[in-house]
Amino acid sequence: MSEIVIELKNVQKVYPMGGEKIVALDDVSLKFYKGKIYCLLGVSGSGKSTLLNIIAGLEKPTKGEIIFKGHDIHKMNEKRLASFRQRYIGFVFQQYNLMPTLSALENTTLPLIFRKVPKRVRNERAKKMLKAVGLGKRLRNKPSQMSGGQQQRVSIARAFVNNPQVVFADEPTGNLDTKTTQEMMNLILGMAKTYEQTLILVTHNLELSKYCDQVIHIRDGKIEKIEDVADKIEITTKGEF
């Protein structure tokens, strides 16, 4: 039996808005296993991004429990949560979220700086990761000197450089064309499979869900259905990461 990395128990998230209460998540219970690729699929406003934020400890649930690697993260204060995320979690964002004044190498080393990894070690690891995503000759380039696809490659390298247990990808190809989308998905999934990491992808794009092991359909803050993907798209990326 595979290891359970994350478990949600009866999670609810309510936002006060004026005199009303908006239920963003309603009694959600889920389990995520090591090395599996998951898709949180739903239209805008369905609750999928709120669910990601809750799982990653970026928001607190109104009710319920989030057990992450045996830790009750819903009980942690902000300082402990920040330390926990640095240790266990990587993020890939739609908008890349790169520091514009830093080079590709410097952006990639940021998670290692927070972990207080020595400079020589973190630069070596970042160079290796950037080479793996095809940017070995662009280490000194800043985001303004790179295309959208290249910036997302830096974002992917940064997410994986710390060898996290879980990687969250929030609409990671939303700003990319079809060809570049396929390249990015191959990179993200290839790395996750190589290192047996759990990947949780958030999207409204049904095509991206075909890369995953399991699709969690979300509607109006509820789990509508959970679907195992029998005929998923196989990744084509090869090589050592």
Side-chain angles (χ1 to χ4, degrees):
M1 187 71 177
S2 298
E3 174 190 352
I4 297 173
V5 178
I6 307 168
E7 184 173 4
L8 280 67
K9 299 180 181 180
N10 307 112
V11 168
Q12 184 183 60
K13 182 64 179 179
V14 179
Y15 295 103
M17 189 171 292
E20 299 182 11
K21 292 183 178 180
I22 306 298
V23 180
L25 293 176
D26 189 6
D27 196 29
V28 172
S29 295
L30 290 168
K31 292 179 181 178
F32 298 90
Y33 292 87
K34 180 179 179 179
K36 294 295 185 181
I37 311 298
Y38 296 90
C39 176
L40 305 181
L41 183 69
V43 299
S44 179
S46 62
K48 62 185 186 298
S49 291
T50 301
L51 180 56
L52 178 144
N53 290 342
I54 291 285
I55 299 170
L58 297 172
E59 293 187 52
K60 295 278 191 179
T62 305
K63 293 180 181 178
E65 302 175 48
I66 304 100
I67 316 299
F68 196 130
K69 294 291 293 180
H71 299 270
D72 298 327
I73 66 170
H74 56 286
K75 296 180 180 179
M76 292 183 183
N77 59 31
E78 288 305 315
K79 184 177 180 179
R80 286 187 64 201
L81 274 172
S83 177
F84 186 87
R85 285 193 295 268
Q86 289 167 15
R87 181 178 179 185
Y88 288 112
I89 296 174
F91 290 96
V92 181
F93 300 98
Q94 179 179 351
Q95 302 295 339
Y96 320 136
N97 285 17
L98 303 178
M99 299 292 289
T101 60
L102 301 183
S103 68
L105 181 65
E106 291 166 332
N107 267 290
T108 304
T109 62
L110 284 175
L112 302 176
I113 291 174
F114 295 138
R115 291 290 306 276
K116 299 182 180 179
V117 174
K119 184 175 181 180
R120 180 183 61 81
V121 177
R122 66 179 184 250
N123 282 346
E124 287 178 359
R125 287 170 62 177
K127 286 177 183 177
K128 180 181 178 182
M129 195 59 67
L130 286 166
K131 184 179 179 180
V133 300
L135 294 178
K137 295 182 179 180
R138 292 187 173 271
L139 302 180
R140 304 300 172 188
N141 286 45
K142 293 182 179 179
S144 61
Q145 300 169 310
M146 293 183 283
S147 67
Q150 289 167 340
Q151 290 183 64
Q152 191 60 301
R153 287 174 185 267
V154 177
S155 176
I156 292 166
R158 181 185 58 191
F160 284 91
V161 74
N162 205 27
N163 194 23
Q165 298 273 332
V166 180
V167 175
F168 294 96
D170 191 0
E171 300 282 5
T173 62
N175 292 332
L176 305 175
D177 59 44
T178 301
K179 181 177 181 295
T180 310
T181 289
Q182 292 172 344
E183 292 173 354
M184 294 306 104
M185 289 303 297
N186 277 321
L187 275 175
I188 295 171
L189 272 69
M191 287 190 174
K193 287 294 186 184
T194 296
Y195 295 118
E196 294 186 278
Q197 292 155 316
T198 302
L199 175 66
I200 300 176
L201 169 71
V202 175
T203 187
H204 65 275
N205 186 342
L206 188 61
E207 285 302 308
L208 293 191
S209 71
K210 296 176 182 178
Y211 287 88
C212 302
D213 296 309
Q214 192 173 80
V215 181
I216 300 165
H217 296 261
I218 304 170
R219 182 186 294 272
D220 299 328
K222 295 177 179 287
I223 305 302
E224 186 176 40
K225 65 177 178 177
I226 297 176
E227 176 185 13
D228 292 324
V229 182
D231 189 25
K232 71 176 184 177
I233 299 173
E234 293 299 325
I235 61 171
T236 58
T237 294
K238 296 179 180 180
E240 294 297 324
F241 294 112

